[in-house]
Amino acid sequence: MASTPDATSDPTEDPVLRMENVTAGYGNTTVLHDVSIAVEDEQVACLIGPNGSGKSTLMKSIYGFADVQSGTVSFRGQEITGRSPQQNLANGMSYVLQDASVFPGMSVHENMLMGGYVFNDDDRAAARAEELYEEFPVLADLRSQSAGTLSGGQRRLLELARALMVEPDVMMLDEPSIGLEPRFIDDVFERIEQLNDLGTTILLVEQNAEKGLSIADRGFVLASGEIKFTGTGTELLNDEEVGRLYLGG
């Protein structure tokens, strides 16, 4: 059986991203309870668990959208607890929210440029967008089209590409497959693996637990705001108790 970790027993020696004994929530509401995780550089790490378990809150606690009541969040050894989303974006972290976040009344290209607003340099943002169109040719073909007319899969690709405008060290993805047809799910996960192969560390929340764990170097099972199991993606997929409780096995 995979074991429940603590901050000292985690096998990661020098993680790019670490939460230590974090209790967090929103205002007076506590959602996470004494959570510790660590993600190594260039890993894919996947958070799974039932609805309402605190997965999105964990991501938001890292990125500055939720309130960390105690504990610490560190990025490359530097404490970033409570740092604003804008500061995180400007310092090598990007976050693709679960909810649709494209600007429907703007073109695909205008949406892309919004991802580079932290540059404060229009020419740099435009040049970076052109680089990404080479990696996402379907978006290049649609660059003048209103983002509100895109399919679900195309919108998700636009969100991924826009999050890459800042060339992040760490990319956080909240439910990247939600609401997508199976063929688009495969496309999105293939793109995630390609990004990881290029050196981007990925932390994702995924309701499709088997799909998420199948590409994960590290997996965490969250329930009732606590980490219940951790291990490699393969270990969690093969764990009978994890399968029975969380994978429908």
Side-chain angles (χ1 to χ4, degrees):
M1 180 189 301
S3 60
T4 303
D6 60 29
T8 57
S9 66
D10 195 293
T12 353
E13 293 182 0
D14 188 21
V16 63
L17 190 63
R18 182 187 287 276
M19 302 179 76
E20 292 186 274
N21 308 114
V22 168
T23 296
Y26 309 94
N28 294 324
T29 302
T30 299
V31 179
L32 300 181
H33 306 278
D34 198 31
V35 167
S36 297
I37 69 168
V39 181
E40 290 183 15
D41 202 12
E42 300 188 13
Q43 274 191 338
V44 175
C46 180
L47 286 160
I48 67 167
N51 289 333
S53 61
K55 301 185 299 296
S56 292
T57 299
L58 188 152
M59 302 274 272
K60 291 176 179 177
S61 298
I62 293 171
Y63 210 68
F65 287 124
D67 301 318
V68 176
Q69 299 158 2
S70 63
T72 58
V73 180
S74 301
F75 176 56
R76 295 203 177 282
Q78 177 185 358
E79 185 178 345
I80 61 167
T81 313
R83 193 165 74 175
S84 72
Q86 291 82 1
Q87 289 174 306
N88 282 319
L89 183 63
N91 286 278
M93 297 173 66
S94 63
Y95 184 14
V96 178
L97 298 166
Q98 176 179 337
D99 299 327
S101 60
V102 300
F103 300 97
M106 298 169 64
S107 70
V108 167
H109 186 61
E110 288 168 334
N111 269 271
M112 288 284 283
L113 295 179
M114 288 296 291
Y117 79 93
V118 294
F119 295 152
N120 211 18
D121 182 335
D122 292 344
D123 290 339
R124 181 181 175 188
R128 178 59 178 155
E130 293 302 325
E131 292 174 357
L132 289 168
Y133 286 138
E134 294 183 11
E135 297 182 34
F136 295 82
V138 65
L139 296 180
D141 293 340
L142 299 169
R143 60 189 297 161
S144 299
Q145 189 167 316
S146 169
T149 66
L150 301 181
S151 69
Q154 291 167 340
R155 285 196 300 272
R156 184 59 77 186
L157 287 178
L158 175 55
E159 289 167 343
L160 289 174
R162 188 178 60 190
L164 289 168
M165 284 286 289
V166 297
E167 301 182 73
D169 289 333
V170 173
M171 193 172 197
M172 297 167 54
L173 308 173
D174 196 347
E175 301 279 12
S177 74
I178 193 167
L180 299 184
E181 299 175 17
R183 63 192 176 99
F184 287 125
I185 292 174
D186 290 340
D187 289 345
V188 166
F189 273 88
E190 182 178 344
R191 176 61 62 175
I192 290 169
E193 290 185 281
Q194 289 171 350
L195 295 175
N196 180 244
D197 288 341
L198 293 172
T200 306
T201 303
I202 307 286
L203 175 62
L204 72 148
V205 167
E206 185 49 58
Q207 196 63 38
N208 185 337
E210 292 191 21
K211 189 75 173 177
L213 291 175
S214 71
I215 68 165
D217 301 294
R218 194 84 185 150
F220 305 97
V221 180
L222 193 68
S224 302
E226 299 178 354
I227 299 291
K228 299 298 185 182
F229 300 91
T230 186
T232 67
T234 300
E235 286 171 345
L236 295 182
L237 282 171
N238 293 331
D239 187 291
E240 291 185 4
E241 189 169 1
V242 171
R244 177 174 58 83
L245 293 174
Y246 304 105
L247 303 179

